[in-house]
Amino acid sequence: MAEPRLLERFLDERRAAARIACDSTLVPAPGQYVMAHDPASDDPLAVPVFSAGDSPDGFFAASPLPRAWTPGVQLSLRGPLGRGFALPTHARRAALAALDAAPAYLLGLLSRALAQGAAVALVCDDPPEELPAEVEIRPLEALEEVAQWADYLALAASRAGWRERVRSGDRLTAPREAQALIVVPMPCGGLAKCGVCSVEVGRENALACEEGPTFDWRF
Ligand code: FES
């Protein structure tokens, strides 16, 4: 296949920031990422890019992406990297909750959950438009209620949001099977062991780039 290329950018980034064409072997699963870089740019650093769902020729990329990446730009991709979501095949009530991270990080799970006959609730305060009609949209204030309804919960949160909501005394009652994508800066993507992506999970710190960025709820 041709070199990876950004095909399209979207004005409304709630659904996705862009569509990227690439070989299927480079497409990150929901909750995984690729390190992406424009080799023609002066910026030496690659950035982590997450999937917001598959497309026929690659994947939709969740926001944020560098502004300089306009349609047609060729990209160098390394990955897929890290651990992604593992939707249980027996899940029949899937809750996807975007705490303080973009719901786009979770949208790659939609088609998978619907394909296995699960009812799906998307919990967030700024939902994307044009979601499948079967998806129930709930506000974040209903998270506790939805988490008790679900038999699988996928959560996306920033490091601060994760710590505050989940690690504080105001703990969420998670279903037996739950995972959290903790969105943190990952400047080296595991290459240099920089430690910037360190997150507190359970009683220990973990490198999100290698051991996550999607973690099982019970550590
Ligand atoms: S991003 Fe550098 S160690 Fe994880």
Side-chain angles (χ1 to χ4, degrees), residues 185-198 207-210:
M186 296 190 289
C188 83
L191 278 184
K193 299 282 187 288
C194 67
V196 171
C197 66
S198 176
L207 295 179
C209 66
E210 289 184 341

Side-chain angles (χ1 to χ4, degrees), residues 4-23:
R5 181 183 293 270
L6 190 147
L7 293 180
E8 222 180 332
R9 279 217 71 141
F10 304 115
L11 284 177
D12 181 352
E13 297 194 345
R14 287 175 298 175
R15 176 68 184 80
R19 181 163 64 96
I20 293 175
C22 65
D23 189 84

Side-chain angles (χ1 to χ4, degrees), residues 148-195:
Q148 289 178 17
W149 161 84
D151 58 10
Y152 171 73
L153 171 65
L155 182 100
S158 72
R159 176 160 35 199
W162 165 253
R163 190 181 297 131
E164 277 172 32
R165 179 66 203 251
V166 181
R167 307 292 306 158
S168 71
D170 180 24
R171 294 180 66 130
L172 187 66
T173 308
R176 196 159 51 87
E177 296 186 272
Q179 296 181 296
L181 165 59
I182 307 176
V183 181
V184 292
M186 296 190 289
C188 83
L191 278 184
K193 299 282 187 288
C194 67

